[in-house]
Amino acid sequence: MRQDSRDIAAFLTFNSGSASVDGPVRKQSGQKLVHHRVAVNEQSCIDILRPPFFFWLIPIVSGDIGTMRCAGFVREMPTMPDLPGMPKISVGAATRPARLAEIWMAAVVAVAMAFLLGQATAKAQALDFSGKTVTIVVGFGPGGGYDTWARTVADHLGRYLPGEPTVIVENMPGGGGNRASVFLASVAPKDGTVISVFPQPFPLEGLIGRLGDDVAPEDFGYIGRLTTHTATLLMWNTSPVKTLADAMSREAPIATPGIDVTNIVARIVNERMGTQFKIIQGYEGSSEMAFALEREEVEGMSQSLESLVAKHPDWLPEGKVNVIWQVATTRNDLLPDVPAVTELPIDGDDAALLRLLASLGDTGRPLGMPPGVAPEVLQVFRDAFDAVVQDPDFIADAEKRGLQLDTEPGAAVAASVAAAMNTPEPTVDALKALLGAAP
């Protein structure tokens, strides 16, 4: 047979997930797509398949999808069998060089993947927290919901980390939880010995620049979500304000820890509906606010539904509080008669902002690590988290403390935070304008 000068080459097509590429080898880096065109004939095709293999190893190790094209003698060949954990190789009209390409590529893929997996495994196995202390930093004072979650996790997490380190809790209140977040980003070691339970409005603080230029919520490593967070406004039973309409005719002082979700909603309804909530912020946590509420220093307070059920299980059944709103897209089964903020008669950018606030409930209360922690360290903690939340002892401990588990993997939390950080500019501008006003 003679070599056909026409372009009747064999195609070795590598499929990964749903992606499939025919044509020259390509490499994607960020948003830039670089094409590597390879002019080959029968002999040069054979030559590039000989060692060294770096030509093939680079696109494989970087996760690229490559297609090699070799002109030569036409011959039918069967499709190679699928190899577990490797890209599927399919062969169309194949030549002798193409068969060599198939064999070499299969071998190189196997070697490359074994190398990468071996490296990752070796790094994970090298992690050893024996004799060390892992600290869970809480951005609020002792006794509140975030503190209770952190201490419950601390009692169980160490058993699932390499070396079974001691796990402790350190309270670092300030700035509505921001002090702890900034500490994690700028001061805390990035070796896995410091983690945190992030406050629900953490992404919002990043959007409006309250965390500083060097702190970006999407850069943190998220381990997993412990529970959702349905923010509410509670009014004490002695307050004349039982509904939003009542707050339109008189001033009602309410306590918040800082710029939390309830604080923002109160500003919106004051401006758009004419309510007169007087926001008093700066409390270190829900325990301090509850104490002020019971002493009637304020008439209302910011409180998540999950913490309300855990810390004050008698308040709702005994009518000690009235819930004015719930920051959610739909009404919680525990509060069927309380309006969700997305139901309020508010339109425009403020309505978009209320929808954003409601969506943050899915981010909830996540555990996370500082930016820059090595991926293998983050994965060890994610694996430990997944094991902890399935541990019967942990589940029983959470139930005993009145905590409602509603977990989500760290990768899903990271995706939710990234989505929040991509909020359209008009909504962000509306939030900044709102918070620029005095409480």
Side-chain angles (χ1 to χ4, degrees):
M1 298 176 76
R2 65 178 178 82
Q3 178 176 342
D4 193 334
S5 60
R6 292 175 299 168
D7 190 13
I8 54 174
F11 290 83
L12 300 185
T13 303
F14 285 76
N15 297 297
S16 175
S18 61
S20 177
V21 180
D22 283 334
V25 177
R26 73 176 188 175
K27 179 180 180 183
Q28 187 167 359
S29 175
Q31 299 300 318
K32 185 177 180 182
L33 190 64
V34 182
H35 292 271
H36 302 277
R37 297 191 175 277
V38 185
V40 296
N41 55 30
E42 180 180 5
Q43 185 58 45
S44 65
C45 182
I46 295 174
D47 288 342
I48 63 174
L49 292 174
R50 292 174 179 157
F53 305 124
F54 302 113
F55 178 83
W56 299 110
L57 191 59
I58 290 172
I60 293 171
V61 170
S62 64
D64 295 322
I65 304 164
T67 298
M68 180 186 159
R69 220 164 110 163
C70 298
F73 298 97
V74 178
R75 176 170 137 200
E76 293 297 324
M77 289 181 61
T79 300
M80 284 193 68
D82 295 345
L83 300 176
M86 294 172 56
K88 181 179 178 182
I89 302 177
S90 58
V91 181
T95 66
R96 193 178 301 115
R99 185 170 188 176
L100 288 174
E102 181 179 343
I103 294 170
W104 280 118
M105 280 299 238
V108 171
V109 169
V111 171
M113 292 189 70
F115 172 77
L116 292 176
L117 290 174
Q119 288 289 94
T121 302
K123 287 180 179 179
Q125 290 176 343
L127 291 174
D128 187 358
F129 293 95
S130 298
K132 296 182 179 180
T133 297
V134 173
T135 301
I136 305 177
V137 177
V138 178
F140 301 93
Y146 286 97
D147 181 72
T148 303
W149 273 112
R151 294 183 188 280
T152 306
V153 171
D155 289 343
H156 300 271
L157 181 62
R159 297 198 304 273
Y160 294 97
L161 292 172
E164 299 191 10
T166 299
V167 182
I168 64 172
V169 173
E170 178 181 343
N171 297 92
M172 192 179 292
N178 287 349
R179 181 186 171 203
S181 301
V182 173
F183 167 80
L184 236 69
S186 57
V187 178
K190 305 180 188 303
D191 57 1
T193 56
V194 177
I195 63 177
S196 184
V197 182
F198 292 100
Q200 184 212 15
F202 183 47
L204 290 182
E205 300 283 12
L207 277 175
I208 61 178
R210 286 183 180 267
L211 300 174
D213 295 337
D214 298 328
V215 182
E218 66 269 32
D219 291 343
F220 286 71
Y222 293 95
I223 298 169
R225 183 188 74 191
L226 292 162
T227 189
T228 53
H229 183 109
T230 306
T232 67
L233 173 63
L234 309 179
M235 301 301 293
W236 197 241
N237 62 87
T238 57
S239 171
V241 175
K242 312 294 183 184
T243 66
L244 275 171
D246 294 335
M248 295 177 188
S249 59
R250 68 179 302 276
E251 185 177 88
I254 61 173
T256 75
I259 306 298
D260 69 348
V261 171
T262 298
N263 183 309
I264 296 171
V265 174
R267 293 168 185 249
I268 293 175
V269 297
N270 278 352
E271 183 176 303
R272 296 297 300 274
M273 297 181 63
T275 54
Q276 301 180 51
F277 292 109
K278 181 181 179 181
I279 302 168
I280 303 174
Q281 60 190 48
Y283 289 87
E284 289 190 353
S286 60
S287 291
E288 187 177 343
M289 290 189 292
F291 187 52
L293 187 66
E294 290 179 311
R295 291 192 303 180
E296 299 187 22
E297 294 175 1
V298 292
E299 294 182 21
M301 66 173 280
S302 168
Q303 176 79 85
S304 77
L305 177 61
E306 292 77 12
S307 290
L308 173 63
V309 172
K311 305 297 293 184
H312 309 285
D314 59 323
W315 280 13
L316 278 177
E318 296 182 10
K320 292 185 176 181
V321 292
N322 294 298
V323 183
I324 304 301
W325 65 64
Q326 51 186 311
V327 186
T329 54
T330 58
R331 299 186 183 192
N332 190 287
D333 290 342
L334 293 177
L335 302 172
D337 300 322
V338 176
V341 292
T342 51
E343 301 174 32
L344 300 180
I346 294 173
D347 56 12
D349 290 335
D350 287 331
L353 182 52
L354 289 175
R355 289 193 297 271
L356 170 63
L357 297 176
S359 71
L360 288 177
D362 291 335
T363 304
R365 296 183 174 182
L367 279 173
M369 312 185 81
V373 170
E376 59 269 17
V377 177
L378 175 59
Q379 190 58 53
V380 164
F381 273 81
R382 284 181 172 180
D383 292 343
F385 175 85
D386 292 343
V388 167
V389 297
Q390 296 178 47
D391 184 335
D393 290 340
F394 172 77
I395 295 172
D397 197 5
E399 289 178 352
K400 183 173 66 177
R401 301 185 193 200
L403 302 175
Q404 296 181 317
L405 280 169
D406 190 350
T407 63
E408 188 172 61
V413 176
S416 295
V417 173
M421 297 306 295
N422 284 323
T423 297
E425 281 299 319
T427 304
V428 176
D429 291 341
L431 178 59
K432 289 180 178 179
L434 184 71
L435 296 179

